[in-house]
Amino acid sequence: MPLHVHASAEAVLHSLAEYFVAQAQHAVADRGRFSVALSGGNSPRKLYELLATTPYREQVAWDQVYFFFGDERNVPPTDPESNYRMAREALLDPLTIADSQVFPVDTALPPAEAAEAYTRTIQAFFAPEEAIFDLVLLGLGDNSHTASLFPHTPVLHETSVGAREVFVEEKKAFRITLTAPLLNQARAVAFLVYGADKAAAVHQVIQGTRNVDEFPAQLIAPAGELHWFLDMAAAAALPPAAS
Ligand code: 6PG
């Protein structure tokens, strides 16, 4: 489980951008396309903006990249809270990505139906193969959630490979999230975590006692590679050897 720890958030973002490019180039060379599940929230916006600028934008065959979402808020795609809107603004529109390459969650449907529809969308994209993303980007909440796998929610124990709705008590809102079994089928998973407010969660998830109900990101154990891209502030609670 490689930890890429850098002095600043900017250095972390460049490190992950380079990794993203490498993963995309390998996938396109090997399989003719690159499927990526994007994370939401605040942390990845700067990564997306970086990927859409020189030199990274010139280094990927963007017309061979297919974009999914690791989770989505139960809001319209125009809502400021929408992960899809953030990705559109920061990455997809600047790169003029065709709609046919982007697979948003249909949040016009009720949450359970939206999750079922998204599961079918993902299955149809990968059919007849298993749903194996080339890369899953994930963030980490200060309560150790990732995607919308929040502490003490039933979705943490979901065994199906797909998307599920989850009511998040602390947000008083529904979300749609990919399940841990689907995320763990990925060829590669990369966490992007920076800022001192995440240090405790990083320590709990990487080094703490296993308790997935308390620290859901501990569920992430992909068949492929697992990388952590951290700044020193987020890695501060890890022992020096681990960071
Ligand atoms: C979301 C994300 C979520 C996020 C963490 C960290 O939809 O909010 O998928 O899992 O990665 O909450 O969010 P920040 O980067 O904003 O701290």
Side-chain angles (χ1 to χ4, degrees):
M1 180 173 58
L3 302 183
H4 309 266
V5 182
H6 295 271
S8 67
E10 185 181 4
V12 178
L13 292 165
H14 280 280
S15 177
L16 180 48
E18 289 165 12
Y19 179 75
F20 182 105
V21 165
Q23 291 300 106
Q25 289 175 345
H26 290 148
V28 169
D30 294 351
R31 289 179 296 282
R33 69 183 189 185
F34 177 56
S35 57
V36 56
L38 299 178
S39 60
N42 300 312
S43 299
R45 177 186 283 270
K46 289 179 182 167
L47 171 68
Y48 302 157
E49 290 168 348
L50 195 57
L51 286 168
T53 56
T54 295
Y56 305 108
R57 72 176 292 139
E58 290 82 17
Q59 296 173 353
V60 176
W62 294 106
D63 58 344
Q64 302 300 319
V65 181
Y66 296 85
F67 299 87
F68 295 80
F69 295 83
D71 71 326
E72 185 55 277
R73 289 81 179 277
N74 185 39
V75 296
T78 53
D79 190 290
E81 280 295 299
S82 166
N83 287 337
Y84 167 77
R85 172 175 160 170
M86 184 272 280
R88 270 244 83 93
E89 289 171 350
L91 180 67
L92 305 174
D93 287 349
L95 290 173
T96 60
I97 302 292
D99 288 347
S100 59
Q101 295 171 239
V102 185
F103 299 88
V105 176
D106 182 357
T107 55
L109 296 170
E113 289 178 43
E116 285 166 15
Y118 206 48
T119 299
R120 289 195 299 273
T121 296
I122 293 169
Q123 288 172 339
F125 175 81
F126 286 101
E129 308 299 329
E130 282 290 296
I132 297 174
F133 288 107
D134 291 308
L135 177 60
V136 170
L137 296 176
L138 292 174
L140 184 70
D142 59 11
N143 63 353
S144 297
H145 83 263
T146 192
S148 282
L149 301 172
F150 279 80
H152 306 294
T153 55
V155 73
L156 299 184
H157 302 287
E158 183 60 58
T159 57
S160 67
V161 172
R164 283 291 178 275
E165 78 284 2
V166 51
F167 185 75
V168 183
E169 198 60 48
E170 63 193 72
K171 308 277 186 184
K172 293 284 183 279
F174 273 99
R175 295 216 176 160
I176 289 88
T177 187
L178 301 191
T179 63
L182 175 51
L183 295 170
N184 282 335
Q185 290 191 162
R187 290 188 177 85
V189 174
F191 278 95
L192 170 63
V193 191
Y194 53 86
D197 61 326
K198 302 292 178 73
V202 166
H203 176 259
Q204 287 291 7
V205 171
I206 295 178
Q207 300 259 316
T209 307
R210 185 161 178 84
N211 182 339
V212 298
D213 282 297
E214 283 292 331
F215 316 120
Q218 290 179 343
L219 285 166
I220 306 305
E225 305 173 5
L226 174 56
H227 293 255
W228 288 81
F229 291 82
L230 305 163
D231 69 352
M232 287 174 74
L238 294 177
S243 57

